[in-house]
Each structure stands twice: as structure tokens, then as C-alpha cells.
Amino acid sequence: MEFMIAFLVGFPFVSALLQGVIKSNKARKIITYASSAAVILAALMFTVTYYVYGGEAMTFNESALLGSLPVIEAVDYAMVGIEVFLVVLITVLSIKYKKYYAALLSIAQTALTFWYEFSGAKPEGEGLNLYCDQLTVIMVLIIAIVGTLITVYACGYMDDYHHHHGDEVKDRRGFFFAIMYVFIGAMFGLVLSNSLLWMYFFWEVTSVCSFLLIGYTKTDEAVNNCFKALWMNLLGGLGMIGGIVILGISHGITDLQGLLEANKGLIVLPVIFLSFGALTKSAQLPFSKWLLGAMVAPTPSSALLHSATMVKAGVYLLIRIAPVMSGEFSGYMVGLIGGLTFLAMSMLAITAYDGKKVLAYSTLSNLGLITACAGVGTEETVWAAIFLVIFHAISKSLLFQTVGSIEHQTGSRDIETMHGLVRRYPYLTWTLVVGIAGMFLAPFGMLVSKWAALKAFVDTGLHSGSTLEIIVSTLLVLCICFGSATTLFYWSKWLATILSSNPADKRHKNTITVNQWTSLFTHAGLMILVVFAFPFISRFVVKPYTAEVFNSTNQVISSENIVLTILMVVFIFIIPIVTYFLIARNRPFPKAQRYFNGAGTPDQVGFIDSFGNEKKEFLTNWYMEDIFGEDKMYKPSVYVSIFLITAFIAASIALGGGC
């Protein structure tokens, strides 16, 4: 088990080194395929071994893992050396591009880290650095399977990318793949870490990786957006290390398990600081702009940021510390920020016509729901949050990759150009349909998890004796109801667009490479497989985790929820199919003659105008920018979120929340 942990964390860094050194694209692809297979196999072996050992939480003896105490110390010093390298790198690039604020934030948090570690302020007798439980297993599988499949997809995508951009973008594929594998290795280290300082180290590595990937093209827009992502995440990192320092000095806590065992009423302020770092990493309001700006990067990096890494690091930490946030100011702050982000971003998604931007808003929205669940911090909301993470990771990775492939095939990712896509590119359309269905339709788990979250929010308000908790629960219920309605609206618009059938559209030649199809079809298969495995994942993985953390034997999914899910499946799938075979198949629906201000053409997709010219009909979506436009909604949402964060931090300090 120890060897597999070392392999999962260390091997991606070795692969990254090879990717950066080797100049041949053909050799780089071979390394990517081999590395992906090795990482996925190691993750599966890790999972099997974990359950062979009993499937319970496990701690590890570092001397057995690394050989001896001097080796452990060498790893710690290596981390210190890498931190120095990162702060120098950020400082040099900040000076080069005149973004001095990023350098100041990096220097400030590194200085605080070094003071804490080497001044004697850190408590003696640090706990174990590594820890594994069911949540760790879930995250390891997501990172290994989804993350590495994205790198396989990138092999073909980056060929097309540089072919389309020619000399506009310098070919730095070796650097691109190297950073992607560093990203994957850092995420393994983050989810396997029990030490808060180890987690913080890998946390900062992921921040720098996202900064470098977003700025890949080195255009002015890319540089501005990558520094926006950097300073926001550095600000969150400063908050995180601040929370770690307070926990260590005031409470003697240096690891996650020690944090969960502490009296939650005494550690409110440091938990707020930790959650503040998680909010920035997960691009919650008021820090959502950095993730929207990340769309300037090539599609594989967008898919990696949104599905298996970066933003998942933030919600992972929130899920971990959810039990100590429940019923406290930290939980109220996180819950309200998450609910506000879920509602605001789902409304803004209605106004977007760029496919990647819709996906970005959707990511922010779903992360908001996960964040709200973690903030409430009950067993049922944590159960829902974990399943939202699983389904969102697979679905969003599939959607980003499919939209990227559509863009290379059609030259556009504008949803308005996707009318009749099902006739032109049927296979791409159906992978897109699977991805979209996974986000909002039954029987996919996103919908079931939303229902569980809604029920938990209602129950929390009904059974609470706290006025503030009742208010928070009521607001979250409103957010999830209206946010879910707008979610249904924008996904339905997109789904109807690609499935609309225009007889004039003919099937086009598909130039997508085998490695891209491999990732797309595997993701689509996983999406469907997880639907059928949903009860087993709940029973053997998620439920044991929540039962252990909350010391509970309650049944999270009741028979009522199961009946509701079955009814949703009947209404969405069975009734339309039965209707088609009993009615529509034998009695075709009549075509209504439409008035086009001219003579209609026989195919009913155009008209002849008064000058005798044939005009084609073009359907368009309803974006409602005058109601939900970014210029109307974004700033007010930011101001409200800043007020919430400031108010809860101030209240915590005033009441002495663990200083």
C-alpha cells in the first residue's frame, strides 16, 4: 500500500520530467499513453488493496514508506526547496510582466510558512503525514482516470491546435504535458496528505500549475488571465497558511484528523481561514472571475482545471472539514457563499452563447452547490456533495473535450452554430448529449444528489433551534430551487439546439484522432456506468465514509427518494418511448405551414422573398441578457459575497472564535 502511494505521488513528476526533456512529439505521445495506463492501473490496485485491508481509514508509518527518518527529513527539505523555487519563479515572472502584487502575495505567504516551520512556533510531535479513507479512494480514482484520460485526449487535440494556430502560438507541447502531469502528481499528494503543511505545499503547486497552463499562449489576454488566477489563489493560500498557523500555535493542531477531533466551537476563525482558501481555489464568489478567464487556455487544460484538479482541491478540503463547520459561523459563511454562487452562475449561464463559457458558468454553479452542502455539514449534505463531485468530474471533462473537438471540426464553439449537429457529426453529438444529460437529467446522480441536498436543507431548517440556522437554511432552499430551474433552462436550450433536425444538413467527414475518441468514448461509458453503479458506490464507499465521520447508522437514501428516482426515469424515458410506438409511429404529426413574409419552400426551412431570393430559416436561443446579463448580475453578487465573508470573519473575531 505504501509503495502504491509513493508511486501515485512520485511517478507523475517523473513522467513530467520526461515530457519536458524529450523533443519528439511521437515519443511524447508514447510516454503519455504509458504513463496514463500506469497511473490508472496503480489507482485501481490502490483501491483494491485498500478494500482487501478492510476498507477502513488507514494511517501509515512513514519509516516503512520511505525507509528511514533521514529520508523523511530529506523529503521535507525537498519541499522547502521547491517552495523557494516557486516563490522565485513567481517573483521573476511578476517583475517581467509588471504584476508586482502577485510577487508580494507569494513572498508574504512563503515568509509566514518558513517562520512557522523554522522559528519553533510549530508544535512538537507532528502527526502522521499520510491518511487514507473512502473519500481519498474516490478522489484518487477521479484524478487517475479522468485526469490521465484528458492527457490522452490532449495528444491529438494539441496536434490540431497548433495546426490551426500555425505561427500564432509557439509550440511548447513538452512544457504543456509536463505541467499537466505535475498537476496530477500534486493532486495525488494533496488528497493523500494528512499533514496540513503537506497539503498546503501541494495546494500551492496546483496554483502555480494552473497559472502556467492558463498563460500557455503568452498572448496579452492569456497573461492577464493567468495572473488573475494566480493572485486570487495566492490570496486564498495566504488565508490557508494563516489558518494553519493559528491552529498550530493556539490549539496544537497540525493535521486534518486532529482538526476534525477538536472542539469545533473553539476553532471557528482558523476554519474560516481554511475555508476562505478553499473558496478561492474553487472559484466561488467573489473569486469566480479567474476560472472564467481560464477559458483562454487550450481545451485540455480547461477540462483538467474543471474536472479532476484545481477546483476539486477546494471542494475536497471543504468536504473534509464539513463536520467542524456545521452550525458554526464558518459553515454559515461557506453555505451562503455556495448558495449565492450556485444561483448567480446558473442565471448567468443562460446569457452565454460560447459553449466553453456555458460550461465554465455551469462548473461555478455546481461547485457552489457542493460548497453549500459542505457548509451545512450534515451527513446527508456531505453524501450529496461527494456524489456531485463524482458526476461533475466525469460529465464536465466529457463536455469540455467534446466542445473542443466540435470547435476543431466546425471552426466555432458558438451554440448558435450547433443547430442540426446531430446530422453533421452524430457521434460527437451523442457524447455531448451524454455529458449534458449527466448534468441535469434522471437517472444521472447529479439530479438525485440535488434532491438529497434540497431535502437536507429543509430538514436542517425544520429541526434547528437557531434563528440564524433557520434563515441560512431557508435562503439555501430558495437558491437551490431557483438555481435548479435556471439550470434546467440553459441545458435544455443547448440540448434542443444540437438535436434539432434540418434536412439540409448532411453528415460531414470527421477528422478526430483515435486518442481523442478513446477519451471521449471512455468518459461517456464511465458516465453511464456510474449511473448503474450508483447504489453500490453509495453503499460500499460513500455511506461508510459519512457513517464514520458523523458516527451515524442513518440511511441517507430513503425509500421515498428511490421511488422518486424511479418516477423521474418513467416520466423522462418510458412515457416518451411508449407514446412514440403507440401514437406517433403510426400517425405522423402534421407539419404546420409557417408564414415567413414570403412563399415558404417545400422543406419548410426557408422562404422566397419579394425579390425572388431564397432565404433560409435560422432558429436562435433565448439568452435574456437584458434580465440576467453579466453587467447586471455579476457585480452585485460580488458585493454581497464580500459582505458575507467580511461579516462572518468580523463576527468570529468579535466572539473569540479560536484566536
Side-chain angles (χ1 to χ4, degrees):
M1 192 76 169
E2 292 89 347
F3 171 77
M4 282 181 281
I5 290 174
F7 182 86
L8 285 170
V9 177
F11 179 74
F13 288 92
V14 175
S15 179
L17 181 62
L18 293 174
Q19 298 276 11
V21 171
I22 293 175
K23 303 300 181 184
S24 169
N25 283 327
K26 185 175 181 181
R28 189 176 295 116
K29 289 178 181 179
I30 294 173
I31 293 171
T32 301
Y33 302 151
S35 299
S36 300
V39 170
I40 291 174
L41 180 61
L44 293 174
M45 290 176 62
F46 171 83
T47 304
V48 171
T49 306
Y50 173 78
Y51 279 98
V52 167
Y53 279 138
E56 298 178 352
M58 302 171 68
T59 56
F60 300 92
N61 185 310
E62 282 110 336
S63 61
L65 175 64
L66 299 173
S68 63
L69 186 59
V71 177
I72 301 170
E73 292 178 348
V75 172
D76 287 333
Y77 283 118
M79 289 183 176
V80 171
I82 294 173
E83 285 184 29
V84 172
F85 169 76
L86 293 179
V87 72
V88 171
L89 175 65
I90 292 170
T91 302
V92 170
L93 292 176
S94 299
I95 294 173
K96 178 181 178 180
Y97 292 103
K98 299 180 180 180
K99 310 287 186 180
Y100 305 112
Y101 49 84
L104 292 175
L105 285 169
S106 180
I107 293 170
Q109 66 184 51
T110 304
L112 181 58
T113 305
F114 283 13
W115 173 83
Y116 176 64
E117 287 201 79
F118 300 113
S119 69
K122 186 175 73 170
E124 296 293 334
E126 184 177 359
L128 294 174
N129 290 328
L130 300 172
Y131 183 82
C132 176
D133 59 12
Q134 295 87 354
L135 180 58
T136 310
V137 170
I138 291 171
M139 294 302 297
V140 164
L141 289 174
I142 289 174
I143 297 162
I145 298 174
V146 177
T148 58
L149 282 174
I150 291 170
T151 66
V152 171
Y153 170 86
C155 290
Y157 179 91
M158 294 305 288
D159 286 342
D160 290 340
Y161 183 84
H162 284 287
H163 174 73
H164 281 89
H165 288 82
D167 296 331
E168 297 175 17
V169 178
K170 183 180 178 182
D171 191 342
R172 298 190 296 144
R173 269 177 277 187
F175 170 81
F176 184 84
F177 280 91
I179 297 301
M180 290 185 81
Y181 271 95
V182 169
F183 220 144
I184 290 171
M187 279 299 298
F188 280 132
L190 192 152
V191 301
L192 287 162
S193 293
N194 186 44
S195 164
L196 290 171
L197 281 176
W198 276 35
M199 174 176 281
Y200 168 77
F201 166 76
F202 291 114
W203 186 278
E204 290 309 294
V205 173
T206 61
S207 295
V208 176
C209 287
S210 66
F211 160 70
L212 295 173
L213 285 175
I214 296 169
Y216 176 74
T217 62
K218 292 189 175 181
T219 62
D220 291 341
E221 182 184 13
V223 170
N224 289 331
N225 289 351
C226 73
F227 272 99
K228 183 186 297 180
L230 181 64
W231 80 258
M232 287 187 178
N233 281 287
L234 288 175
L235 183 63
L238 185 60
M240 184 177 182
I241 191 60
I244 292 172
V245 170
I246 295 173
L247 284 170
I249 295 175
S250 300
H251 306 281
I253 297 172
T254 60
D255 62 282
L256 270 174
Q257 296 312 304
L259 174 65
L260 295 178
E261 293 168 3
N263 185 331
K264 64 181 182 179
L266 301 178
I267 56 172
V268 176
L269 183 61
V271 170
I272 283 181
F273 284 152
L274 290 177
S275 60
F276 176 80
L279 292 175
T280 60
K281 185 73 78 172
S282 293
Q284 297 297 282
L285 286 168
F287 309 106
S288 302
K289 275 290 186 183
W290 79 257
L291 192 60
L292 296 171
M295 296 301 98
V296 70
T299 293
S301 60
S302 300
L304 197 65
L305 288 171
H306 286 251
S307 60
T309 61
M310 198 58 180
V311 295
K312 290 298 185 292
V315 293
Y316 166 76
L317 177 58
L318 291 174
I319 292 171
R320 276 286 183 206
I321 64 176
V324 296
M325 292 194 295
S326 177
E328 302 292 340
F329 281 153
S330 53
Y332 300 147
M333 181 191 80
V334 169
L336 288 174
I337 293 294
L340 176 62
T341 304
F342 175 65
L343 177 61
M345 296 305 154
S346 61
M347 287 180 173
L348 286 170
I350 294 176
T351 67
Y353 52 85
D354 181 311
K356 283 182 70 173
K357 196 166 187 179
V358 173
L359 297 182
Y361 278 131
S362 169
T363 294
L364 293 168
S365 175
N366 283 279
L367 291 172
L369 182 55
I370 297 170
T371 298
C373 288
V376 172
T378 65
E379 183 182 9
E380 191 169 8
T381 59
V382 170
W383 180 94
I386 293 172
F387 269 107
L388 287 168
V389 167
I390 295 171
F391 278 92
H392 180 267
I394 301 172
S395 180
K396 199 50 64 72
S397 178
L398 173 61
L399 286 168
F400 266 105
Q401 292 178 65
T402 305
V403 169
S405 296
I406 291 171
E407 182 182 9
H408 280 178
Q409 295 297 297
T410 65
S412 172
R413 58 177 188 246
D414 188 333
I415 294 175
E416 293 300 326
T417 65
M418 297 184 190
H419 285 282
L421 193 72
V422 68
R423 285 182 178 265
R424 291 177 284 152
Y425 299 100
Y427 293 120
L428 273 178
T429 300
W430 291 114
T431 58
L432 188 61
V433 167
V434 171
I436 292 176
M439 293 303 297
F440 82 112
L441 284 180
F444 295 95
M446 290 288 286
L447 187 60
V448 179
S449 301
K450 284 182 180 180
W451 170 256
L454 176 61
K455 181 177 180 298
F457 294 161
V458 173
D459 291 343
T460 301
L462 290 176
H463 301 141
S464 174
S466 166
T467 302
L468 181 57
E469 194 164 13
I470 292 172
I471 293 172
V472 171
S473 299
T474 302
L475 290 174
L476 289 178
V477 169
L478 294 174
C479 286
I480 196 172
C481 288
F482 287 100
S484 296
T486 50
T487 297
L488 174 67
F489 185 77
Y490 68 77
W491 284 129
S492 298
K493 285 198 308 174
W494 196 349
L495 194 61
T497 298
I498 61 175
L499 294 179
S500 60
S501 182
N502 188 334
D505 289 327
K506 305 299 180 184
R507 186 167 180 173
H508 294 185
K509 182 181 179 181
N510 209 314
T511 60
I512 295 178
T513 56
V514 174
N515 39 37
Q516 290 173 275
W517 280 127
T518 300
S519 181
L520 289 171
F521 286 150
T522 304
H523 273 85
L526 282 172
M527 190 80 253
I528 297 170
L529 177 64
V530 173
V531 171
F532 290 100
F534 187 100
F536 302 100
I537 297 172
S538 177
R539 181 177 178 182
F540 296 110
V541 185
V542 181
K543 175 56 182 170
Y545 170 76
T546 58
E548 180 180 348
V549 171
F550 291 93
N551 193 24
S552 166
T553 57
N554 295 332
Q555 183 67 32
V556 177
I557 291 296
S558 65
S559 57
E560 295 175 1
N561 289 336
I562 295 174
V563 171
L564 179 67
T565 303
I566 294 172
L567 286 174
M568 286 189 291
V569 173
V570 169
F571 280 112
I572 291 175
F573 291 103
I574 297 179
I575 290 180
I577 292 173
V578 171
T579 302
Y580 172 76
F581 280 101
L582 293 182
I583 302 174
R585 190 179 182 187
N586 299 320
R587 184 170 39 174
F589 292 109
K591 289 184 178 180
Q593 295 295 319
R594 290 170 284 183
Y595 179 70
F596 292 106
N597 196 25
T601 56
D603 58 9
Q604 284 291 295
V605 294
F607 65 95
I608 307 298
D609 66 16
S610 57
F611 294 97
N613 299 318
E614 184 175 335
K615 304 288 187 180
K616 289 294 182 182
E617 173 191 9
F618 189 78
L619 301 176
T620 186
N621 275 316
W622 189 20
Y623 294 99
M624 295 191 286
E625 291 175 290
D626 55 330
I627 302 174
F628 300 124
E630 190 169 302
D631 58 331
K632 293 179 174 59
M633 287 202 59
Y634 191 80
K635 282 187 178 180
S637 301
V638 168
Y639 296 149
V640 172
S641 61
I642 292 174
F643 169 77
L644 289 172
I645 292 173
T646 305
F648 280 110
I649 291 177
S652 177
I653 294 174
L655 297 175
C659 297

Short mmCIF file of all heavy atoms in Angstrom, two decimals, residues 620-644:
data_model
loop_
_atom_site.label_atom_id
_atom_site.label_comp_id
_atom_site.label_asym_id
_atom_site.label_seq_id
_atom_site.Cartn_x
_atom_site.Cartn_y
_atom_site.Cartn_z
N THR A 620 -32.96 30.54 -33.15
CA THR A 620 -31.99 31.07 -32.19
C THR A 620 -32.50 30.88 -30.78
O THR A 620 -33.71 30.80 -30.54
CB THR A 620 -31.71 32.57 -32.46
OG1 THR A 620 -30.66 33.00 -31.59
CG2 THR A 620 -32.96 33.41 -32.20
N ASN A 621 -31.57 30.76 -29.86
CA ASN A 621 -31.93 30.59 -28.46
C ASN A 621 -32.34 31.92 -27.83
O ASN A 621 -32.12 32.99 -28.38
CB ASN A 621 -30.74 30.01 -27.69
CG ASN A 621 -30.69 28.51 -27.80
OD1 ASN A 621 -31.69 27.83 -27.67
ND2 ASN A 621 -29.50 27.97 -28.02
N TRP A 622 -32.89 31.80 -26.64
CA TRP A 622 -33.30 32.97 -25.89
C TRP A 622 -32.30 33.16 -24.75
O TRP A 622 -32.21 32.35 -23.83
CB TRP A 622 -34.71 32.75 -25.32
CG TRP A 622 -35.30 33.99 -24.72
CD1 TRP A 622 -34.94 35.27 -24.95
CD2 TRP A 622 -36.38 34.04 -23.79
NE1 TRP A 622 -35.71 36.14 -24.23
CE2 TRP A 622 -36.61 35.41 -23.50
CE3 TRP A 622 -37.18 33.09 -23.17
CZ2 TRP A 622 -37.61 35.83 -22.62
CZ3 TRP A 622 -38.16 33.50 -22.31
CH2 TRP A 622 -38.38 34.85 -22.04
N TYR A 623 -31.52 34.25 -24.81
CA TYR A 623 -30.44 34.44 -23.86
C TYR A 623 -30.78 35.40 -22.73
O TYR A 623 -30.08 35.41 -21.72
CB TYR A 623 -29.18 34.94 -24.60
CG TYR A 623 -28.64 33.89 -25.54
CD1 TYR A 623 -28.91 33.94 -26.91
CD2 TYR A 623 -27.88 32.84 -25.06
CE1 TYR A 623 -28.43 32.97 -27.75
CE2 TYR A 623 -27.39 31.87 -25.91
CZ TYR A 623 -27.66 31.94 -27.26
OH TYR A 623 -27.19 30.97 -28.10
N MET A 624 -31.79 36.21 -22.88
CA MET A 624 -32.28 37.07 -21.81
C MET A 624 -31.16 37.92 -21.17
O MET A 624 -31.09 38.08 -19.96
CB MET A 624 -32.99 36.25 -20.73
CG MET A 624 -34.25 35.58 -21.25
SD MET A 624 -35.27 34.86 -19.93
CE MET A 624 -34.32 33.43 -19.51
N GLU A 625 -30.29 38.45 -22.00
CA GLU A 625 -29.19 39.27 -21.47
C GLU A 625 -29.69 40.54 -20.79
O GLU A 625 -29.01 41.09 -19.91
CB GLU A 625 -28.23 39.63 -22.61
CG GLU A 625 -27.46 38.43 -23.14
CD GLU A 625 -26.61 38.78 -24.33
OE1 GLU A 625 -27.19 39.05 -25.41
OE2 GLU A 625 -25.38 38.79 -24.20
N ASP A 626 -30.87 41.01 -21.21
CA ASP A 626 -31.42 42.22 -20.59
C ASP A 626 -31.89 41.96 -19.16
O ASP A 626 -32.08 42.89 -18.38
CB ASP A 626 -32.59 42.75 -21.43
CG ASP A 626 -33.67 41.70 -21.65
OD1 ASP A 626 -33.34 40.50 -21.69
OD2 ASP A 626 -34.85 42.09 -21.78
N ILE A 627 -32.06 40.67 -18.81
CA ILE A 627 -32.51 40.31 -17.46
C ILE A 627 -31.35 39.78 -16.62
O ILE A 627 -31.13 40.21 -15.49
CB ILE A 627 -33.64 39.26 -17.52
CG1 ILE A 627 -34.81 39.78 -18.36
CG2 ILE A 627 -34.09 38.87 -16.12
CD1 ILE A 627 -35.90 38.75 -18.59
N PHE A 628 -30.61 38.81 -17.18
CA PHE A 628 -29.56 38.13 -16.43
C PHE A 628 -28.16 38.49 -16.92
O PHE A 628 -27.21 37.74 -16.70
CB PHE A 628 -29.73 36.61 -16.52
CG PHE A 628 -31.03 36.11 -15.98
CD1 PHE A 628 -31.88 35.34 -16.76
CD2 PHE A 628 -31.41 36.40 -14.68
CE1 PHE A 628 -33.08 34.87 -16.26
CE2 PHE A 628 -32.61 35.94 -14.18
CZ PHE A 628 -33.45 35.17 -14.96
N GLY A 629 -28.00 39.59 -17.61
CA GLY A 629 -26.70 39.94 -18.17
C GLY A 629 -25.61 40.07 -17.11
O GLY A 629 -25.87 40.44 -15.96
N GLU A 630 -24.38 39.81 -17.52
CA GLU A 630 -23.25 39.86 -16.60
C GLU A 630 -23.09 41.26 -16.02
O GLU A 630 -22.72 41.43 -14.85
CB GLU A 630 -21.98 39.42 -17.32
CG GLU A 630 -20.79 39.21 -16.39
CD GLU A 630 -19.64 38.53 -17.06
OE1 GLU A 630 -19.82 37.40 -17.57
OE2 GLU A 630 -18.55 39.13 -17.10
N ASP A 631 -23.37 42.27 -16.84
CA ASP A 631 -23.23 43.65 -16.36
C ASP A 631 -24.27 43.99 -15.30
O ASP A 631 -24.12 44.95 -14.54
CB ASP A 631 -23.34 44.63 -17.53
CG ASP A 631 -24.66 44.49 -18.28
OD1 ASP A 631 -25.23 43.38 -18.29
OD2 ASP A 631 -25.11 45.48 -18.87
N LYS A 632 -25.35 43.21 -15.22
CA LYS A 632 -26.40 43.47 -14.25
C LYS A 632 -26.26 42.62 -12.99
O LYS A 632 -26.67 43.03 -11.90
CB LYS A 632 -27.78 43.21 -14.88
CG LYS A 632 -28.14 44.18 -15.99
CD LYS A 632 -29.48 43.83 -16.57
CE LYS A 632 -29.93 44.88 -17.59
NZ LYS A 632 -28.98 45.02 -18.71
N MET A 633 -25.71 41.41 -13.13
CA MET A 633 -25.74 40.46 -12.02
C MET A 633 -24.41 40.26 -11.33
O MET A 633 -24.36 40.01 -10.13
CB MET A 633 -26.24 39.09 -12.52
CG MET A 633 -27.71 39.05 -12.82
SD MET A 633 -28.33 37.38 -12.75
CE MET A 633 -27.92 36.90 -11.09
N TYR A 634 -23.30 40.34 -12.09
CA TYR A 634 -22.04 39.89 -11.52
C TYR A 634 -21.57 40.77 -10.37
O TYR A 634 -21.24 40.28 -9.28
CB TYR A 634 -20.96 39.80 -12.60
CG TYR A 634 -19.72 39.10 -12.10
CD1 TYR A 634 -19.67 37.71 -12.04
CD2 TYR A 634 -18.63 39.83 -11.64
CE1 TYR A 634 -18.55 37.06 -11.55
CE2 TYR A 634 -17.50 39.17 -11.15
CZ TYR A 634 -17.47 37.80 -11.11
OH TYR A 634 -16.37 37.14 -10.62
N LYS A 635 -21.52 42.09 -10.58
CA LYS A 635 -21.01 42.98 -9.53
C LYS A 635 -21.86 42.93 -8.25
O LYS A 635 -21.30 42.85 -7.14
CB LYS A 635 -20.92 44.41 -10.06
CG LYS A 635 -19.71 44.65 -10.95
CD LYS A 635 -19.57 46.12 -11.31
CE LYS A 635 -18.31 46.35 -12.15
NZ LYS A 635 -18.15 47.79 -12.50
N PRO A 636 -23.20 42.97 -8.35
CA PRO A 636 -23.98 42.85 -7.11
C PRO A 636 -23.69 41.54 -6.36
O PRO A 636 -23.62 41.54 -5.13
CB PRO A 636 -25.43 42.89 -7.61
CG PRO A 636 -25.36 43.66 -8.89
CD PRO A 636 -24.06 43.28 -9.51
N SER A 637 -23.49 40.44 -7.11
CA SER A 637 -23.17 39.16 -6.47
C SER A 637 -21.84 39.22 -5.76
O SER A 637 -21.67 38.68 -4.66
CB SER A 637 -23.16 38.04 -7.53
OG SER A 637 -24.39 37.94 -8.19
N VAL A 638 -20.86 39.87 -6.39
CA VAL A 638 -19.54 40.03 -5.78
C VAL A 638 -19.63 40.84 -4.49
O VAL A 638 -19.05 40.48 -3.46
CB VAL A 638 -18.55 40.68 -6.77
CG1 VAL A 638 -17.27 41.12 -6.07
CG2 VAL A 638 -18.21 39.72 -7.90
N TYR A 639 -20.38 41.95 -4.54
CA TYR A 639 -20.50 42.82 -3.36
C TYR A 639 -21.18 42.07 -2.20
O TYR A 639 -20.74 42.19 -1.04
CB TYR A 639 -21.30 44.07 -3.71
CG TYR A 639 -20.64 44.97 -4.72
CD1 TYR A 639 -21.39 45.74 -5.61
CD2 TYR A 639 -19.24 45.03 -4.82
CE1 TYR A 639 -20.77 46.56 -6.55
CE2 TYR A 639 -18.63 45.85 -5.76
CZ TYR A 639 -19.40 46.60 -6.62
OH TYR A 639 -18.78 47.40 -7.56
N VAL A 640 -22.22 41.31 -2.51
CA VAL A 640 -22.91 40.56 -1.46
C VAL A 640 -21.98 39.52 -0.85
O VAL A 640 -21.93 39.33 0.37
CB VAL A 640 -24.18 39.89 -2.03
CG1 VAL A 640 -24.79 38.94 -0.99
CG2 VAL A 640 -25.20 40.93 -2.43
N SER A 641 -21.22 38.83 -1.70
CA SER A 641 -20.31 37.79 -1.20
C SER A 641 -19.20 38.39 -0.34
O SER A 641 -18.82 37.82 0.69
CB SER A 641 -19.72 36.99 -2.37
OG SER A 641 -18.97 37.82 -3.23
N ILE A 642 -18.66 39.54 -0.75
CA ILE A 642 -17.63 40.21 0.05
C ILE A 642 -18.20 40.61 1.41
O ILE A 642 -17.54 40.44 2.46
CB ILE A 642 -17.09 41.44 -0.69
CG1 ILE A 642 -16.28 41.01 -1.92
CG2 ILE A 642 -16.21 42.28 0.24
CD1 ILE A 642 -15.82 42.17 -2.79
N PHE A 643 -19.42 41.10 1.40
CA PHE A 643 -20.08 41.47 2.66
C PHE A 643 -20.23 40.26 3.57
O PHE A 643 -19.96 40.33 4.79
CB PHE A 643 -21.45 42.09 2.38
CG PHE A 643 -22.29 42.25 3.61
CD1 PHE A 643 -22.05 43.28 4.51
CD2 PHE A 643 -23.33 41.36 3.89
CE1 PHE A 643 -22.81 43.42 5.67
CE2 PHE A 643 -24.09 41.49 5.04
CZ PHE A 643 -23.84 42.52 5.92
N LEU A 644 -20.65 39.12 3.01
CA LEU A 644 -20.84 37.91 3.82
C LEU A 644 -19.53 37.44 4.44
O LEU A 644 -19.47 37.13 5.64
CB LEU A 644 -21.44 36.80 2.95
CG LEU A 644 -22.90 36.97 2.52
CD1 LEU A 644 -23.29 35.90 1.52
CD2 LEU A 644 -23.83 36.94 3.72
#
